[in-house]
Amino acid sequence: MLKSVCFAGFILVSLNYFCLAQTSDDTFRPGGQRAPTVRELQEIDFANRRRALESLNSLPRERVTKRTKPLTKAERKRIEELKTPSAIDLELYKDFLRQPKTGIFRIFPNFDCESNNLVKIGNECEKFVSGLWSYSFSEKTYGLSSGFYDLRFDDNIFVGGGFLNQGVLVSVGDLSLDSITNENESVKFLNEYNPETDYKKAVEQSAKIKKGISFENKNYSKTVRAMENNTYILRSISYRYKDLNKKRSLQLHNLTDEDRRFLFINEFKRRDLIVAFRVIRKSDDGGLTIIWKELKSEKSPILVYQPDDKLSEI
C-alpha cells in the first residue's frame, strides 16, 4: 500500500512544503507503472536541493531574544565588502595568483555564533561575520554551516576538515608558498598518510589526529594556532561513504541534521586534497587574508559503515 509522507523541503529558503511518496521497488501505480523510488525522487530534486544548500548562509538569523530577522541589505553589503581582499594584497600577489590552482580569500573568526542556520547576536557575536568563518578549497568558496568545508577559523585557531573529514594541519613557519612543493618533507608525510576506510578504524585514527602526531620535530593535528606571516599545509580528506546495512534507510519524514548530511554527502564534490596556505595579513576587523595553492587533488576514499555501525561522524 502506497504510503504518502509529507516532509519539509531541506533547508529551502522559501520554507515551502511538499510531499513525496515513500515507495519500494515492488510498489506499482494503477496501470502497472512502477512508482519512483525515493532515490529517483532525490535525483529529480537534486538541482533544487543543491541551490538550497548553497544558500544556507543567507537564511534568517536569531537574536538573543529568540526573535528572527533576515540579513538586511546593509548587512549583506558589509559582508561582501569584508570578504573582498584589499587592492594592495591583490596587487602584491597578482603574479602568484596568475598561477593555476591558486587563490586568495579572507576568513573571519567563528565565535560559536552560528548554528542551525541561525546567527546569535550579542557579546562577542557582535563582531561575528556570518558565513565567512570556513572555506572549501575544492569548491573555491566559503563553506556551508552544515559542515561542508576544508578549513575553519575558530578565534585564533585553524581547524582542519568539516563533516566526515579527516583534516590534518601542520605549521611550517615563515616560508613562501613558492618554496612549498611536493618534495617538501611535511607534504611527503601528509601524502603518505593512509586514511582508514573502515568506520571504526577511522574513528580511532581521527582521535589520534586530534591528539597530535609528532614527526621530524613537527606536530600534525586537527588544529593549529593561526599566525600572521606563517605558512601551513593541510591535507583534507572529505570521505564519501557506503552503508553495508541494506535494511537501513533514512526515513524522509523523520530526518535529523546528521541524517540530512549523510543523505546529500555523495552529491558534493568530495576530494582528497593537499593545500599549502599562508596568512599574509591580520586586519583590525579580526579577519585574516590567506593565499593558497593546491598540491594534490584526488577522488576521496569511501568510508564503509558495517551493518552494526551507526551512521555517525568520525
Short mmCIF file of all heavy atoms in Angstrom, two decimals, residues 1 13 31 40 48 53 66-67 95 110 120 150 167 174 181-182 195 248 267 273 286 313:
data_model
loop_
_atom_site.label_atom_id
_atom_site.label_comp_id
_atom_site.label_asym_id
_atom_site.label_seq_id
_atom_site.Cartn_x
_atom_site.Cartn_y
_atom_site.Cartn_z
N MET A 1 0.85 -1.20 0.00
CA MET A 1 0.00 0.00 0.00
C MET A 1 0.88 1.24 0.00
O MET A 1 1.80 1.34 0.80
CB MET A 1 -0.90 -0.01 1.25
CG MET A 1 -1.83 1.21 1.33
SD MET A 1 -2.90 1.08 2.78
CE MET A 1 -3.87 2.54 2.54
N VAL A 13 15.01 28.11 1.41
CA VAL A 13 14.80 29.44 1.97
C VAL A 13 13.33 29.80 1.99
O VAL A 13 12.83 30.46 2.91
CB VAL A 13 15.59 30.48 1.16
CG1 VAL A 13 15.36 31.87 1.71
CG2 VAL A 13 17.07 30.13 1.18
N GLY A 31 -2.35 0.83 -13.37
CA GLY A 31 -1.93 0.74 -14.77
C GLY A 31 -0.63 0.00 -14.94
O GLY A 31 -0.15 -0.15 -16.06
N GLU A 40 15.16 7.92 -6.79
CA GLU A 40 14.84 8.60 -8.04
C GLU A 40 14.25 9.99 -7.78
O GLU A 40 14.55 10.95 -8.48
CB GLU A 40 13.86 7.74 -8.85
CG GLU A 40 14.52 6.50 -9.43
CD GLU A 40 13.52 5.52 -10.00
OE1 GLU A 40 12.33 5.58 -9.62
OE2 GLU A 40 13.91 4.68 -10.82
N ASN A 48 17.31 21.57 -7.10
CA ASN A 48 16.70 22.46 -6.11
C ASN A 48 17.38 22.35 -4.76
O ASN A 48 17.62 23.35 -4.08
CB ASN A 48 15.21 22.13 -5.95
CG ASN A 48 14.40 22.52 -7.17
OD1 ASN A 48 14.78 23.43 -7.89
ND2 ASN A 48 13.29 21.84 -7.40
N LEU A 53 21.15 24.30 -0.47
CA LEU A 53 22.34 24.14 0.36
C LEU A 53 23.29 25.33 0.20
O LEU A 53 23.86 25.82 1.17
CB LEU A 53 23.08 22.84 -0.02
CG LEU A 53 22.46 21.56 0.52
CD1 LEU A 53 23.12 20.36 -0.13
CD2 LEU A 53 22.58 21.48 2.03
N LYS A 66 15.56 35.42 20.85
CA LYS A 66 14.93 34.34 20.09
C LYS A 66 14.08 34.85 18.93
O LYS A 66 13.48 34.07 18.22
CB LYS A 66 14.08 33.43 21.00
CG LYS A 66 14.84 32.81 22.14
CD LYS A 66 15.95 31.90 21.63
CE LYS A 66 16.68 31.23 22.78
NZ LYS A 66 17.78 30.38 22.31
N ARG A 67 14.00 36.17 18.75
CA ARG A 67 13.30 36.69 17.59
C ARG A 67 14.20 36.54 16.35
O ARG A 67 15.41 36.56 16.46
CB ARG A 67 12.91 38.16 17.78
CG ARG A 67 11.86 38.37 18.84
CD ARG A 67 11.43 39.83 18.95
NE ARG A 67 12.50 40.66 19.47
CZ ARG A 67 13.16 41.56 18.75
NH1 ARG A 67 12.87 41.70 17.47
NH2 ARG A 67 14.12 42.29 19.27
N ASP A 95 51.06 38.17 -9.49
CA ASP A 95 51.81 37.17 -10.25
C ASP A 95 51.57 35.77 -9.70
O ASP A 95 51.40 34.80 -10.46
CB ASP A 95 53.31 37.49 -10.20
CG ASP A 95 53.65 38.76 -10.98
OD1 ASP A 95 52.88 39.11 -11.90
OD2 ASP A 95 54.67 39.39 -10.67
N ASN A 110 35.09 32.38 14.04
CA ASN A 110 33.80 31.85 14.43
C ASN A 110 33.73 31.84 15.96
O ASN A 110 34.51 31.16 16.62
CB ASN A 110 33.64 30.42 13.89
CG ASN A 110 32.37 29.76 14.38
OD1 ASN A 110 31.40 30.43 14.68
ND2 ASN A 110 32.38 28.44 14.45
N LYS A 120 23.40 34.12 16.26
CA LYS A 120 23.09 34.80 17.51
C LYS A 120 23.76 36.17 17.52
O LYS A 120 24.85 36.34 17.01
CB LYS A 120 23.57 33.97 18.70
CG LYS A 120 22.98 32.57 18.75
CD LYS A 120 23.63 31.74 19.84
CE LYS A 120 23.14 30.31 19.80
NZ LYS A 120 23.83 29.46 20.79
N ASP A 150 36.71 22.67 4.19
CA ASP A 150 38.02 22.08 4.47
C ASP A 150 38.73 22.75 5.64
O ASP A 150 39.54 22.11 6.31
CB ASP A 150 38.92 22.18 3.22
CG ASP A 150 38.35 21.45 2.02
OD1 ASP A 150 38.13 20.24 2.13
OD2 ASP A 150 38.12 22.09 0.99
N GLY A 167 40.92 15.98 8.61
CA GLY A 167 41.73 17.15 8.31
C GLY A 167 42.98 17.14 9.16
O GLY A 167 42.91 17.03 10.38
N ASP A 174 57.67 30.53 8.59
CA ASP A 174 57.65 31.69 7.69
C ASP A 174 58.31 31.32 6.36
O ASP A 174 59.42 31.76 6.05
CB ASP A 174 58.36 32.87 8.36
CG ASP A 174 58.23 34.16 7.56
OD1 ASP A 174 57.49 34.17 6.56
OD2 ASP A 174 58.87 35.15 7.94
N THR A 181 56.68 22.63 -2.26
CA THR A 181 56.39 21.74 -3.38
C THR A 181 56.09 20.35 -2.83
O THR A 181 56.13 20.10 -1.63
CB THR A 181 57.59 21.65 -4.35
OG1 THR A 181 58.67 20.96 -3.68
CG2 THR A 181 58.06 23.06 -4.76
N ASN A 182 55.84 19.44 -3.72
CA ASN A 182 55.58 18.06 -3.31
C ASN A 182 56.82 17.37 -2.75
O ASN A 182 56.72 16.27 -2.19
CB ASN A 182 55.02 17.25 -4.48
CG ASN A 182 53.58 17.61 -4.79
OD1 ASN A 182 52.74 17.70 -3.91
ND2 ASN A 182 53.29 17.83 -6.07
N PRO A 195 44.58 7.18 5.00
CA PRO A 195 43.32 7.28 5.73
C PRO A 195 42.62 5.92 5.82
O PRO A 195 42.60 5.15 4.86
CB PRO A 195 42.50 8.25 4.88
CG PRO A 195 43.03 8.08 3.49
CD PRO A 195 44.50 7.80 3.66
N ARG A 248 18.79 -0.74 6.36
CA ARG A 248 18.67 0.59 6.94
C ARG A 248 18.32 1.60 5.85
O ARG A 248 18.87 1.60 4.77
CB ARG A 248 20.00 0.99 7.60
CG ARG A 248 20.02 2.41 8.14
CD ARG A 248 21.15 2.63 9.12
NE ARG A 248 22.42 2.11 8.68
CZ ARG A 248 23.45 1.82 9.49
NH1 ARG A 248 23.32 2.01 10.78
NH2 ARG A 248 24.58 1.35 9.01
N GLU A 267 26.67 13.72 -3.08
CA GLU A 267 26.34 14.60 -4.19
C GLU A 267 27.22 15.85 -4.20
O GLU A 267 27.13 16.67 -5.10
CB GLU A 267 24.85 14.98 -4.13
CG GLU A 267 23.95 13.76 -4.35
CD GLU A 267 22.50 14.05 -4.00
OE1 GLU A 267 22.22 15.15 -3.49
OE2 GLU A 267 21.67 13.17 -4.23
N LEU A 273 42.50 16.33 -0.67
CA LEU A 273 43.31 17.48 -1.06
C LEU A 273 44.53 17.65 -0.19
O LEU A 273 44.52 17.32 1.00
CB LEU A 273 42.49 18.77 -0.92
CG LEU A 273 41.27 19.01 -1.79
CD1 LEU A 273 40.52 20.23 -1.27
CD2 LEU A 273 41.69 19.23 -3.23
N GLY A 286 39.52 41.83 12.54
CA GLY A 286 39.57 40.45 13.00
C GLY A 286 39.78 39.42 11.91
O GLY A 286 40.01 38.24 12.18
N GLU A 313 29.29 10.76 12.65
CA GLU A 313 30.54 11.46 12.36
C GLU A 313 31.73 10.67 12.91
O GLU A 313 31.59 9.87 13.83
CB GLU A 313 30.47 12.86 12.98
CG GLU A 313 31.73 13.68 12.94
CD GLU A 313 32.12 14.12 11.54
OE1 GLU A 313 32.48 13.22 10.75
OE2 GLU A 313 32.09 15.32 11.25
#
